[in-house]
């Protein structure tokens, strides 16, 4: 696998940075070379944030932001009105947007981007699986499904191990997040 570069767009508090770091963690455990890092700006709740991943079968020697990503994840659909999320996105790449809208409805907001567009209703999934709105787990599963950076079963196994470590005293959180991941893998819309 060549190096796959992913750029995340979200707002502070939505979990985009956490999702990028989790993706790096599980890909590393799956034997990949990884980078996962945020771009820091004004760190306040609700402010636009950007995070990045590089995932490869070979050592990664580049240490910079990602300017021409293979994939873009948009955790907050509202950012489409103010940020050109597809800037530099490779035409053979794809964008994954958290929205209840269809891919064709979202494509209208992507400033002429001609590549693949996927949508997932992370709100519906997380509220159904967790009882609250936490978009990062569904968006994490969505980008794994779309980018194919790792096998889905291996991804689920590594995420379960990660959740069990992180939430050992809250088994309901583990179950809810795992349900959110599984639901997303089935529901990503093209």
């Amino acid at each position: 696998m060549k190096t796959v570069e992913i750029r995340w767009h979200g707002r502070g508090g939505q979990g985009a940075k956490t999702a990028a770091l989790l993706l790096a963690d599980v890909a590393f455990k799956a034997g990949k070379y990884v980078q996962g890092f945020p771009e820091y700006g004004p760190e306040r709740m609700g402010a636009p944030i950007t995070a990045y991943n590089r995932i490869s079968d070979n050592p990664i020697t580049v240490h910079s932001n990602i300017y021409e990503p293979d994939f873009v994840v948009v955790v907050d659909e509202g950012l489409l009105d103010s940020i050109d999320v597809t800037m530099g996105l490779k035409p053979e790449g794809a964008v994954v947007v958290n929205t209840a809208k269809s891919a064709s409805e979202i494509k209208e907001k992507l400033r002429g981007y001609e590549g693949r567009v996927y949508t997932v209703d992370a709100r519906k999934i997380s509220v159904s699986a967790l009882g609250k709105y936490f978009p990062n787990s569904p968006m994490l599963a969505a980008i794994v499904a779309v980018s194919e950076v790792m096998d889905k079963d291996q991804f689920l196994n590594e995420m379960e191990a990660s959740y069990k470590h992180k939430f050992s005293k809250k088994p309901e959180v583990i179950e809810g997040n795992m349900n959110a991941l599984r639901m997303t893998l089935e529901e990503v819309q093209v």
Side-chain angles (χ1 to χ4, degrees), residues 126 129-132 134 136-137 159-160 162-182:
S126 68
L130 296 159
K132 291 183 181 170
F134 296 111
N136 56 343
S137 284
M159 286 304 299
E160 187 168 27
S162 178
Y163 288 148
K164 281 181 178 175
H165 177 74
K166 188 174 183 178
F167 301 113
S168 61
K169 304 230 184 302
K170 298 180 181 177
E172 69 283 358
V173 173
I174 300 166
E175 185 180 340
N177 274 292
M178 290 307 298
N179 287 338
L181 296 175
R182 287 187 197 95

Side-chain angles (χ1 to χ4, degrees), residues 121-134:
D121 191 343
R123 177 178 297 279
K124 182 183 88 175
I125 291 168
S126 68
V127 168
S128 171
L130 296 159
K132 291 183 181 170
Y133 180 46
F134 296 111

Side-chain angles (χ1 to χ4, degrees), residues 11 26 61 68 98 101 105 116 125 158 163 177 179:
R11 292 189 186 278
V26 297
T61 58
E68 294 183 346
N98 171 14
K101 296 176 182 161
E105 289 175 287
R116 295 174 294 151
I125 291 168
E158 295 296 347
Y163 288 148
N177 274 292
N179 287 338

Side-chain angles (χ1 to χ4, degrees), residues 14-146:
Q14 292 179 323
K17 178 182 101 170
T18 300
L21 297 176
L22 266 172
L23 178 56
D25 187 48
V26 297
F28 176 76
K29 289 177 180 169
K32 307 285 185 189
Y33 291 91
V34 300
Q35 291 178 351
F37 55 98
E39 177 178 25
Y40 285 104
E43 299 310 304
R44 61 187 196 282
M45 194 69 98
I49 67 107
T50 309
Y52 304 94
N53 285 112
R54 283 191 181 93
I55 301 170
S56 181
D57 288 331
N58 302 307
I60 300 169
T61 58
V62 178
H63 300 282
S64 68
N65 286 352
I66 295 171
Y67 301 103
E68 294 183 346
D70 298 292
F71 300 96
V72 167
V73 181
V74 182
V75 181
D76 187 319
E77 173 189 1
L79 293 172
L80 299 177
D81 296 326
S82 58
I83 296 173
D84 182 1
V85 298
T86 60
M87 185 174 65
L89 180 58
K90 295 175 182 165
E92 65 276 9
V95 61
V96 183
V97 181
N98 171 14
T99 181
K101 296 176 182 161
S102 70
S104 58
E105 289 175 287
I106 289 300
K107 204 161 194 163
E108 295 171 14
K109 293 185 167 206
L110 296 180
R111 305 178 190 205
Y113 179 68
E114 293 295 323
R116 295 174 294 151
V117 178
Y118 297 85
T119 60
V120 62
D121 191 343
R123 177 178 297 279
K124 182 183 88 175
I125 291 168
S126 68
V127 168
S128 171
L130 296 159
K132 291 183 181 170
Y133 180 46
F134 296 111
N136 56 343
S137 284
M139 296 311 291
L140 178 58
I143 193 57
V144 168
V146 170

